[in-house]
Amino acid sequence: MSLPNRIEIREEGPREGFQFEKGEIPTARKLELIHALAETGLKRIQTVSFVDPRRVPGMADAEAVCAALKPPPGVAFGALWLNAKGFLRALVAPNLTLDGSVSVSASEVFGKRNQNRDREQDLAAAAALMALYAEHRIPFARATIMAAFGCNFQGEVPVSAVLDRIAAILSLAGGAGLERPVISLADTMAWATPLTIQRVVGAVRDKWPELEISLHLHDTRGMAMVNAWEGLRMGVARFDAAIAGLGGCPFAKHEGAAGNLCTEDLALLCAECGVGTGLDLDRLIAAGRLAEAVVGHSLPGRVKQGGRLTARG
Amino acid sequence: MSLPNRIEIREEGPREGFQFEKGEIPTARKLELIHALAETGLKRIQTVSFVDPRRVPGMADAEAVCAALKPPPGVAFGALWLNAKGFLRALVAPNLTLDGSVSVSASEVFGKRNQNRDREQDLAAAAALMALYAEHRIPFARATIMAAFGCNFQGEVPVSAVLDRIAAILSLAGGAGLERPVISLADTMAWATPLTIQRVVGAVRDKWPELEISLHLHDTRGMAMVNAWEGLRMGVARFDAAIAGLGGCPFAKHEGAAGNLCTEDLALLCAECGVGTGLDLDRLIAAGRLAEAVVGHSLPGRVKQGGRLTARG
C-alpha cells in the first residue's frame, strides 16, 4: 500500500450535476453553489458545459453562469466542451481557466452510441481539438479515456483498448508539439471494481510509469468509494468527485439515485487515512447540504448526513 | 491480499430495518420480504428482535412474525435479544434457529448511554445470557463487540478495549463450558475506515489467530463498502449486511439515508472479484426493490437501481 501524501480533487458537481437535473435550476442558485464550493479549499471546479442546449437544456445558461463567476485567488473555474464549437464558446467566456481536454472511448460500441464515432473518428475529433489548443496556446491538460473499466453496451473492455487509446493520444500530442496530458480513466458506466482498478491502472503504469493518472468514478453500482480507495492504495493522486454525489444516472428512477464519487465522503476517507486534500470538511458538508437545497431533492452523499468523526460527548 | 474463496453473508435487513422505520409495517409485508430473502441463497436471516415493544414499536409483532415464518430447508431464521427476558421469548417462538449471542460495548461511554451499563455490568449481563445458553443447550455462536472502531460519544476507541472485551468473553465462555463464539466487530456508529479495519482486525488476529471474525458495518459516513473490501482483503469471511441497505440511522433527516452495508451491493462486489457468496444477484435485486415497496420509500442500496454488470447492447 502506498497511499499518496496528498491528492487533488477536481470538483465536477456543478457540471455533472446540473446537466442531468430534470427541473430548471436558476442561474443564481448555480452560482451560489459554485461560489460556496470555491470556499472549501477546492482548487479546480468544473462549472459548466458548452454543449448543445437543445440536447442539454440544463447548460443553456453556460455563458450567463460564466459572466457572473468570481473566481477567488488560487481557484480555477473550468468548463467542459466536446468539440470545436464548444471550445470556441469557452474561449470567449469570461472568468474561466481553460485546460485543453479531449475524450475518447475505450469501448467502440459506446463511442458509436454516445458520439456516433468509431475509433478513428474519435481520435480524429481529439486531434482536431488538440490542433486548436496548439493554435490558441491552451495547455493540453487532460485526456479522458471513457468506458475504461467496462461498458453497458460492449460488456468487458479489454485493457489493450485502454492502452491503445492512450498511445494514440500521446502520439497525436507529440506530433502537435503538445505536452503529455494527465490521463483520466473514466468509469463512465460504473463497471469498475477494485480488481479492474488494479488491472487497468497497473497496466497504464507499467507502460508509462511517468504519466499522471486521474480517476473519474461513478457510484451507480455502489463501488465508487471502494474503487477510489483501491486507486489511493496504488498511489493515484488525482480524483474527480462531485459534491453530495451529484451527477447523472440514466438508471435513476427516484430521488437519491447514485451519481459521481462524493467529494465530501472522499474527503472524510482521506482525512482519516492521512491523505491530504487541502479541503475544509465542515465547509464541504455545508456545500453538500446547499447542493440538495439547490436541486430540490436529497442527494446520495453520506457524510453531509452522518457528519465527520468527532465525539459529541 | 488474501481474498477468501467464499464468504457467508448474514442478512440483517428485516431486523435492523423494521425496528427503525417510522411508519407501521403490516406483519404480512414483513413476512413477504423475509420469505423473498429466503429464496436468494441467504442461509441466515435475522427476522425479529425480542425487545421492549414500548421502546421499539416496530418489533411489537415479533411473535406474530415468527408464528407465520416458513423456513425453507437449509435456511435459518434468527432473532435478536439483549437480555434474559428477550431470550425466553425467543425460546418459545416457533420457526427460529436460536444462536446464542451476547453484545458488549468496547466504548464504556456508549455502553452507559445505550444500556446504562459500565464494563463490569456489560460483562455480567453477557455472563447471565451465557449461563442461560448453557442451561438450555443453545450453542454460543456469536459475541458482538459494539463500537469496536470508534464512538460518537467517546471518540476514538482504543484497540486495547476491543481486545479486553474479547478476552473477557472468551474467559467467561471457557468458565461456562461453552464453545468459542464468532467475534462480530460492530461499527455501531460508523467510525471505521480501512485503516482502523486493518488495525482492529489485525490486532484480534494477532492475539487469537484461530478466532472467526465477522464484520458488522454501517454506511452512515459512506464507508461501509470500502471497509468491507478491506476486511475481504484481509480474508474476513463473515459479514452482516442488509437488503437495500436497510437499517437505522439516528442522523437520518430524510429518505434514503444510510443504513447497513447493502447486501446486494456487497454481493456484486464479491461476484466480480471471485469471492463466492452462494447468492442469486437477480433475486437479491428483486428483494431490494421489494424492501423499498414494503417500507414505502427509497432505500440507499445502489445495485437495485444500477443493475448487475451485463452488457445490454
Side-chain angles (χ1 to χ4, degrees):
Chain A
M1 187 163 73
S2 57
L3 297 180
N5 291 324
R6 190 176 175 86
I7 65 168
E8 184 182 296
I9 297 178
R10 191 171 90 141
E11 174 61 37
E12 294 271 350
R15 186 198 62 78
E16 278 264 10
F18 295 150
Q19 72 190 10
F20 280 105
E21 289 294 326
K22 287 186 203 88
E24 197 175 329
I25 299 168
T27 304
R29 293 291 271 163
K30 295 182 181 177
L31 287 159
E32 190 182 347
L33 179 62
I34 291 167
H35 289 129
L37 288 166
E39 300 296 323
T40 62
L42 288 162
K43 295 298 176 205
R44 160 63 73 169
I45 299 166
Q46 292 292 86
T47 55
V48 297
S49 299
F50 292 103
V51 288
D52 186 342
R54 288 165 303 182
R55 289 189 62 189
V56 188
M59 285 294 158
D61 63 351
E63 273 82 0
V65 168
C66 292
L69 287 174
K70 293 185 175 61
V75 176
F77 288 146
L80 178 78
W81 53 85
L82 299 169
N83 52 34
K85 190 172 170 187
F87 171 65
L88 296 173
R89 285 171 65 195
L91 203 57
V92 295
N95 303 316
L96 293 178
T97 301
L98 297 192
D99 277 349
S101 64
V102 300
S103 292
V104 296
S105 176
S107 158
E108 198 155 359
V109 183
F110 177 72
K112 291 285 278 185
R113 291 184 74 118
N114 188 45
Q115 296 271 355
N116 197 25
R117 295 173 185 158
D118 64 17
R119 175 185 178 281
E120 300 312 316
Q121 292 166 318
D122 223 11
L123 290 168
L129 277 173
M130 288 155 70
L132 283 173
Y133 303 150
E135 177 189 341
H136 292 276
R137 296 170 193 267
I138 301 291
F140 182 37
R142 169 180 282 234
T144 295
I145 313 299
M146 291 186 287
F149 302 94
C151 172
N152 281 346
F153 308 105
Q154 180 176 319
E156 286 188 24
V157 169
V159 178
S160 60
V162 176
L163 300 179
D164 166 76
R165 301 310 189 272
I166 296 172
I169 293 286
L170 295 179
S171 168
L172 288 169
L178 293 167
E179 53 274 68
R180 288 190 153 195
V182 171
I183 300 296
S184 171
L185 299 171
D187 188 22
T188 313
M189 285 160 283
W191 272 61
T193 67
L195 294 195
T196 53
I197 295 284
Q198 286 174 19
R199 196 177 308 139
V200 177
V201 172
V204 175
R205 281 260 183 77
D206 284 350
K207 189 149 183 184
W208 297 283
E210 75 289 358
L211 273 188
E212 279 202 82
I213 294 173
S214 181
L215 288 173
H216 179 96
L217 303 166
H218 284 257
D219 200 35
T220 315
R221 292 181 174 91
M223 301 297 137
M225 190 64 75
V226 74
N227 290 332
W229 175 243
E230 200 61 36
L232 287 168
R233 290 184 61 100
M234 298 179 78
V236 173
R238 291 174 179 271
F239 293 85
D240 292 350
I243 194 73
L246 269 168
C249 172
F251 313 109
K253 290 202 203 89
H254 59 71
E255 295 180 358
N260 279 63
L261 175 64
C262 172
T263 305
E264 65 272 27
D265 291 7
L266 177 61
L268 177 88
L269 175 68
C270 289
E272 294 299 323
C273 294
V275 175
T277 61
L279 299 178
D280 181 321
L281 194 50
D282 291 325
R283 289 186 181 192
L284 280 179
I285 289 170
R289 292 178 181 162
L290 176 61
E292 289 187 316
V294 168
V295 301
H297 57 78
S298 67
L299 289 167
R302 304 297 199 222
V303 170
K304 65 185 158 50
Q305 255 67 42
R308 59 190 303 165
L309 298 187
T310 43
R312 294 139 204 232
Chain B
M1 187 164 74
S2 57
L3 296 180
N5 291 324
R6 191 177 175 82
I7 66 167
E8 184 182 295
I9 298 179
R10 192 171 89 143
E11 173 60 37
E12 294 271 350
R15 185 196 65 77
E16 278 264 9
F18 295 150
Q19 73 189 11
F20 281 103
E21 289 294 327
K22 287 187 203 88
E24 196 176 328
I25 298 168
T27 304
R29 293 291 269 164
K30 296 182 181 177
L31 287 159
E32 190 182 347
L33 179 62
I34 292 167
H35 289 129
L37 289 165
E39 301 295 324
T40 63
L42 288 162
K43 295 299 178 202
R44 160 64 74 169
I45 300 166
Q46 292 292 84
T47 56
V48 296
S49 298
F50 291 103
V51 288
D52 186 341
R54 288 165 303 182
R55 289 188 62 188
V56 188
M59 285 295 158
D61 63 351
E63 273 82 0
V65 169
C66 292
L69 288 174
K70 293 186 175 61
V75 176
F77 287 146
L80 177 79
W81 54 85
L82 299 169
N83 53 34
K85 191 172 170 187
F87 170 64
L88 296 173
R89 284 171 66 195
L91 202 57
V92 296
N95 303 316
L96 293 178
T97 301
L98 297 193
D99 276 350
S101 64
V102 300
S103 293
V104 296
S105 176
S107 159
E108 198 155 0
V109 183
F110 178 71
K112 293 284 279 184
R113 290 183 74 117
N114 188 45
Q115 297 272 352
N116 196 27
R117 295 172 184 159
D118 63 18
R119 176 186 178 279
E120 300 311 314
Q121 292 167 318
D122 223 11
L123 290 168
L129 277 174
M130 288 155 71
L132 283 173
Y133 303 150
E135 178 189 340
H136 292 277
R137 295 170 191 269
I138 301 291
F140 183 37
R142 169 181 282 234
T144 295
I145 312 298
M146 291 185 290
F149 302 95
C151 172
N152 281 345
F153 309 104
Q154 180 176 318
E156 285 190 25
V157 169
V159 178
S160 60
V162 176
L163 301 179
D164 166 75
R165 302 311 188 272
I166 296 172
I169 293 286
L170 295 179
S171 168
L172 288 169
L178 293 167
E179 53 274 67
R180 289 189 153 196
V182 171
I183 300 296
S184 171
L185 299 171
D187 188 22
T188 313
M189 285 160 283
W191 273 60
T193 67
L195 294 194
T196 52
I197 295 283
Q198 286 174 18
R199 195 177 308 139
V200 177
V201 172
V204 175
R205 280 262 183 76
D206 285 349
K207 188 149 182 184
W208 297 284
E210 75 290 358
L211 272 187
E212 280 202 81
I213 294 173
S214 181
L215 288 173
H216 179 95
L217 303 167
H218 284 258
D219 201 35
T220 314
R221 293 180 174 90
M223 300 298 139
M225 190 64 74
V226 74
N227 291 332
W229 175 244
E230 200 61 36
L232 287 168
R233 290 183 61 98
M234 299 179 78
V236 172
R238 290 172 180 272
F239 293 85
D240 293 349
I243 194 75
L246 270 167
C249 171
F251 314 108
K253 290 203 203 88
H254 58 70
E255 295 180 358
N260 279 64
L261 174 64
C262 172
T263 305
E264 65 272 27
D265 291 7
L266 177 61
L268 177 88
L269 176 68
C270 289
E272 294 299 323
C273 294
V275 174
T277 61
L279 299 177
D280 181 321
L281 194 51
D282 290 324
R283 289 187 181 191
L284 280 179
I285 289 171
R289 293 178 180 162
L290 176 62
E292 289 187 316
V294 168
V295 300
H297 57 78
S298 67
L299 289 166
R302 303 297 199 224
V303 170
K304 65 183 159 50
Q305 256 66 43
R308 59 191 305 167
L309 298 187
T310 43
R312 294 140 205 231

